[in-house]
Amino acid sequence: MKDFYDKLVQGFEKNQKKLFVLLVLINIAALVGVFRIHINTDFLQFIPSDSHRFSEYQEMTADFETSEQTMFLVQLERPPETAEEIAYLRRIQDLMKQIPGVSAVMGPVPEKIPVGFRLVDTANPDEKRTSLILKFIENLGELKNIYQHEGKIYALFTVMGESGSDSFAIARRAEEIIREHFTRYYATGDIYLESKIFSYILRIILILPPAAIIILLNVFRSRLRSFKASFFSLLPAGLGALWTLGLMGWSGRELSVMTVLAPIFTIVMGSADGLHFVSHFLDHIAEGRTRKDALTITLKRVGVPMILTTVTTIGGFMASLTISSTAMRQLVVFASIGVTFAGVATWYVLPLIGLRVSLPSVSKKDKSKELSIFRSLIGKKSIVITLVLVTAFIWGVFLVKTDFNMTSLYKPWTEVRKNLETVQRITGGGIPVFVVYRFSGDPYAPSLINNVLSLEKSLVKEGIVTRAVSVYDAVGSFYKVVFGSSEGYPENAARVRLITKLLGGWKEGPLSQFLLTEKNTGRFIIFPRDLASDTLKKIERFVVENSGNGVNFSVVGIPYAIQEMNDRIVPEQLRSLAVAFALMFLIMWITQRALNLALLSLLPVGITLVVMFGFMGYARVSLSIVTSTMANITIGVGIDYAIHFISLYRFFRKEGKKPQDAADEALNYVAKPVTANAFGLAAGLSALFLSPLMIHNYVALLMWVTMLSSSFLTLVLLPSILTGFGSQKMKG
């Protein structure tokens, strides 16, 4: 093996120019690939591919030939009262209805109103018809789309797409129309939330990777005392991120809310090997060795640990493949590829640099200062600290909840979150879900109608739903106008038939949106108080309990498909953790050839996981498809520190050193790069605090907790165990 490293360094020395030219060509190809990348804004990537709730949602949209909807709440100067004002609002509805893929637009002005026993179009009304339109709008009740709030007037436009339509294109064009005609508006809805992801992902990829690089450079510089050395430590990780993005572009893959983390993970986690390499290389330069000799001995001592850390980091990611989410799989694959590229770049680029570039040596005095705090804690103190950590955080593990949803994805200051809250406050609706009911017999039977209307009122009364709208509300509104009645709904079956026949003449009216007579299926819209799992479960329980008397109710919608993912995340998380631990143990057992050392290497990350989940419970950080990755990352990355320490411990033991001396030499060798890497990883991922997405905040926060815990436990607990808890036996 020694001859291998000698020959490897000689090969680099002999072929420097050729290797440099090849590196330039690879980077040019990667840059071209970057400009071929597309952005994916679809929320459906979060949902498990075998989701039963999503299948229900697809079945409903196929039956009613509609997809998600977008709502635009616009502020008006005053209530619409004149023919010109009515015609203006109607014209905007017509413009949005002409957008390709739009199935219906429900706006402040109904497309048709009943005049006598016929439907009349509301376009270009005269003065007489205007008064009829205004009277009809006043009788719409829950269907009314004009609101007064705190002395201001608002109008609501709801755009519904056809099943299988381009939701993103519809939302973008509809917003352009609204922007052209109104100075102030608020948008929300499934499609709108997805469309805004595009600009957020673009902002993330343009700002966060450079921010991570700047942060890491400053952290590494504070540890290595050299900007040049810090830059070269980080260079392989930067190249790994570039190559990953290039591969994504050339392979036709897309950037999403999840995969946008891959280049950031590559930069932050891929920097570990570069830092270890440069740090140890500088140590040997400080000993007076030549560049070639320093390079050779560095590879001999940390070459295998660098390979192992790359493999274990990839293993940590790959264990997350057990979680059934397309978004997770895409992140896992590209993060693993990125870390692999960073590892390859470390072996490729840094030897070339080491042979040609002068780097400063490290002061021995600085190094001794780095070790003092760890040496003072080695021994019984480390055991006490470990027990305190476990005791303090174990209770928090049982407080962890799963509550990811579409609105919690965004930070409170984002336009999306503010718009949603404004629309909810003014209209009582935000992100809708549907109650689907299946019946036998007459869809206008009094028993069925009473069941539906009663359920609507009960949901609102319970406070778990802010608003509910059904076809029977439309029938009631028409009844008031046609018959001049003050009743909410006609009891006379003949009058019901007359009204429904009238509505049936409106091809794109409420009947087509809410009732499929030939399939004995109907639906009505409800707006949950919020999208928290507890609220959604209460709604579902309440709805199911009201089934009976010839009608079956069920709740359908994207929020419920996401809730299903939340319900599955705990068992899938446990399974992925088991896989990750098994992989790490197998790798360590094979490479270290010692069962006790393999088990020992898992101890710091095992305790770190208790700290992480406990912190999540205390801080109310939900376990989600995103935060679940942190557990496996903790295992894959956190074990790297144990690998470096134990590998060097074995190296010095083979040289004949006693356990205490071997542990002391290993600590002396790895303390600086391990602490620098831990702070670097945590600080580097702090760039995610700049993201507009809340889930990225949690990733950054948990990285601080896990990296500081795992590095501290590795440098204090492992030496204590290996030396029999005898700090006095460690050299000073």
Side-chain angles (χ1 to χ4, degrees):
M1 197 67 175
K2 294 180 180 180
D3 292 339
F4 168 77
Y5 292 117
D6 291 328
K7 291 178 180 178
L8 182 64
V9 173
Q10 289 173 8
F12 276 112
E13 189 177 34
K14 183 179 179 181
N15 299 287
Q16 290 181 59
K17 291 183 179 180
K18 293 179 182 178
L19 291 171
F20 180 76
V21 170
L22 178 60
L23 180 63
V24 171
L25 293 175
I26 292 172
N27 289 332
I28 291 173
L31 279 170
V32 174
V34 169
F35 291 100
R36 296 168 57 92
I37 292 177
H38 298 284
I39 293 177
N40 182 358
T41 64
D42 198 346
F43 271 124
L44 303 183
Q45 60 186 303
F46 286 105
I47 299 171
S49 55
D50 60 344
S51 169
H52 170 68
R53 303 308 296 264
F54 183 59
S55 296
E56 290 180 333
Y57 175 76
Q58 287 180 309
E59 182 181 346
M60 182 196 70
T61 57
D63 285 343
F64 286 90
E65 298 181 351
T66 58
S67 62
E68 300 97 334
Q69 56 187 350
T70 301
M71 292 176 284
F72 298 95
L73 184 69
V74 303
Q75 186 173 329
L76 305 178
E77 293 182 2
R78 62 174 191 169
E81 297 175 344
T82 66
E84 290 78 13
E85 290 168 338
I86 293 293
Y88 183 74
L89 293 174
R90 172 61 195 277
R91 189 160 58 251
I92 295 167
Q93 290 173 208
D94 291 342
L95 285 172
M96 289 193 286
K97 193 174 177 181
Q98 293 168 13
I99 299 172
V102 170
S103 65
V105 177
M106 294 180 285
V109 179
E111 290 185 15
K112 298 180 186 293
I113 63 167
V115 177
F117 293 102
R118 63 191 179 90
L119 289 175
V120 176
D121 198 288
T122 59
N124 303 314
D126 55 22
E127 186 175 339
K128 181 181 178 181
R129 192 167 293 173
T130 297
S131 64
L132 293 174
I133 293 170
L134 293 174
K135 181 181 178 181
F136 181 74
I137 290 173
E138 282 301 313
N139 284 287
L140 282 175
E142 287 297 334
L143 295 172
K144 185 177 179 180
N145 286 322
I146 295 177
Y147 303 87
Q148 185 171 353
H149 183 76
E150 296 180 352
K152 297 176 182 178
I153 304 299
Y154 300 89
L156 182 67
F157 297 85
T158 302
V159 183
M160 302 185 74
E162 297 173 349
S163 180
S165 59
D166 186 344
S167 301
F168 178 75
I170 290 173
R172 182 175 57 190
R173 179 58 190 140
E175 187 172 12
E176 289 174 357
I177 292 171
I178 292 293
R179 192 184 299 118
E180 290 169 3
H181 293 86
F182 300 98
T183 55
R184 177 168 291 184
Y185 68 92
Y186 308 92
T188 189
D190 300 337
I191 302 176
Y192 176 75
L193 295 182
E194 290 182 16
S195 69
K196 282 300 175 184
I197 287 288
F198 181 90
S199 60
Y200 288 159
I201 291 175
L202 195 60
R203 187 187 310 176
I204 289 168
I205 199 62
L206 292 176
I207 295 175
L208 267 58
I213 289 172
I214 292 170
I215 293 170
L216 282 170
L217 275 174
N218 282 284
V219 171
F220 287 5
R221 186 180 183 183
S222 69
R223 312 298 290 173
L224 298 177
R225 306 289 192 267
S226 166
F227 177 83
K228 185 190 290 187
S230 302
F231 174 79
F232 289 130
S233 297
L234 197 54
L235 182 59
L239 292 177
L242 173 63
W243 298 350
T244 302
L245 289 172
L247 180 63
M248 291 176 70
W250 283 112
S251 62
R253 297 297 186 269
E254 298 172 319
L255 272 180
S256 67
V257 172
M258 292 291 282
T259 55
V260 74
L261 292 174
I264 300 171
F265 280 156
T266 299
I267 291 170
V268 175
M269 297 174 192
S271 64
D273 286 343
L275 178 63
H276 280 285
F277 185 100
V278 172
S279 177
H280 297 319
F281 180 77
L282 296 181
D283 285 342
H284 297 306
I285 292 292
E287 293 170 358
R289 300 176 185 272
T290 64
R291 292 182 199 170
K292 185 177 177 181
D293 289 343
L295 183 59
T296 302
I297 196 170
T298 296
L299 289 174
K300 287 178 181 178
R301 290 191 175 183
V302 299
V304 171
M306 286 197 305
I307 294 174
L308 284 178
T309 55
T310 299
V311 171
T312 53
T313 302
I314 293 170
F317 277 117
M318 297 301 285
S320 295
L321 287 174
T322 59
I323 297 175
S324 55
S325 164
T326 301
M328 174 66 80
R329 291 191 182 101
Q330 291 174 348
L331 172 61
V332 164
V333 169
F334 283 106
S336 299
I337 290 171
V339 172
T340 302
F341 281 159
V344 171
T346 302
W347 281 80
Y348 186 167
V349 177
L350 291 186
L352 290 176
I353 292 171
L355 290 169
R356 296 182 63 87
V357 180
S358 297
L359 295 174
S361 59
V362 181
S363 168
K364 293 285 187 180
K365 185 178 180 181
D366 289 340
K367 196 164 190 178
S368 63
K369 290 180 180 179
E370 295 287 337
L371 295 167
S372 59
I373 186 169
F374 297 114
R375 284 202 175 103
S376 67
L377 296 174
I378 290 173
K380 295 179 181 178
K381 291 180 181 178
S382 67
I383 306 303
V384 173
I385 292 171
T386 301
L387 292 175
V388 169
L389 281 174
V390 173
T391 303
F393 286 98
I394 191 69
W395 302 111
V397 174
F398 301 100
L399 301 176
V400 176
K401 293 184 178 181
T402 57
D403 205 10
F404 173 77
N405 60 67
M406 288 186 291
T407 56
S408 65
L409 181 68
Y410 303 92
K411 290 184 178 177
W413 55 262
T414 58
E415 177 188 351
V416 168
R417 189 77 170 265
K418 288 181 178 179
N419 279 359
L420 175 62
E421 291 170 354
T422 300
V423 173
Q424 285 179 322
R425 186 170 61 252
I426 295 172
T427 71
I431 304 297
V433 296
F434 296 88
V435 176
V436 176
Y437 55 96
R438 303 189 185 278
F439 53 89
S440 58
D442 186 358
Y444 300 104
S447 60
L448 173 61
I449 294 167
N450 289 334
N451 272 354
V452 172
L453 292 176
S454 174
L455 179 56
E456 286 183 51
K457 293 176 183 177
S458 299
L459 286 168
V460 174
K461 186 178 179 180
E462 283 290 317
I464 50 180
V465 166
T466 57
R467 186 181 171 206
V469 182
S470 73
V471 67
Y472 303 122
D473 294 309
V475 172
S477 297
F478 269 60
Y479 175 65
K480 288 179 183 178
V481 174
V482 173
F483 290 96
S485 173
S486 59
E487 296 177 19
Y489 194 84
E491 293 293 335
N492 187 299
R495 290 187 174 186
V496 172
R497 291 290 180 190
L498 186 61
I499 295 298
T500 55
K501 185 177 181 180
L502 191 64
L503 280 169
W506 183 358
K507 185 179 179 182
E508 297 173 347
L511 283 186
S512 64
Q513 300 296 324
F514 295 110
L515 189 62
L516 299 174
T517 305
E518 69 282 2
K519 293 187 177 182
N520 288 344
T521 301
R523 66 175 181 175
F524 63 89
I525 299 177
I526 59 174
F527 294 91
R529 177 185 63 204
D530 53 57
L531 297 181
S533 288
D534 288 344
T535 301
L536 293 177
K537 289 177 180 178
K538 285 179 183 177
I539 292 172
E540 184 167 27
R541 282 198 301 269
F542 199 87
V543 167
V544 172
E545 287 170 0
N546 278 269
S547 293
N549 298 322
V551 58
N552 290 314
F553 293 107
S554 60
V555 193
V556 179
I558 294 296
Y560 278 93
I562 292 177
Q563 184 202 3
E564 180 186 10
M565 177 194 70
N566 289 337
D567 292 339
R568 292 167 60 167
I569 198 67
V570 171
E572 290 185 348
Q573 173 75 94
L574 293 174
R575 187 165 61 246
S576 69
L577 284 177
V579 171
F581 268 110
L583 281 174
M584 298 306 112
F585 172 74
L586 188 61
I587 291 169
M588 292 301 293
W589 192 11
I590 292 172
T591 56
Q592 300 299 332
R593 301 185 189 90
L595 180 62
N596 61 335
L597 291 180
L599 291 172
L600 186 60
S601 65
L602 294 173
L603 185 60
V605 291
I607 297 169
T608 297
L609 286 177
V610 173
V611 173
M612 187 195 83
F613 284 117
F615 176 83
M616 289 176 65
Y618 292 139
R620 297 182 181 179
V621 175
S622 296
L623 180 63
S624 70
I625 193 69
V626 180
T627 55
S628 66
T629 62
M630 288 307 302
N632 293 335
I633 288 172
T634 297
I635 296 173
V637 177
I639 202 170
D640 292 353
Y641 306 140
I643 287 172
H644 279 279
F645 181 86
I646 289 176
S647 295
L648 283 168
Y649 171 80
R650 290 185 72 243
F651 178 87
F652 291 120
R653 285 285 287 146
K654 286 181 179 179
E655 289 189 342
K657 295 183 182 293
K658 296 179 180 179
Q660 292 79 11
D661 294 333
D664 188 64
E665 286 291 331
L667 182 67
N668 183 61
Y669 213 78
V670 304
K672 175 170 284 191
V674 164
T675 54
N677 182 249
F679 277 100
L681 286 175
L685 278 186
S686 294
L688 292 176
F689 286 125
L690 302 175
S691 169
L693 304 182
M694 201 67 197
I695 53 174
H696 293 164
N697 255 31
Y698 296 148
V699 171
L701 190 62
L702 294 177
M703 183 57 79
W704 274 103
V705 173
T706 57
M707 291 303 98
L708 295 185
S709 298
S710 60
S711 61
F712 176 81
L713 289 167
T714 296
L715 297 176
V716 173
L717 184 60
L718 290 189
S720 298
I721 295 174
L722 289 169
T723 58
F725 314 119
S727 59
Q728 72 278 6
K729 298 178 183 179
M730 298 288 288
K731 292 185 177 180

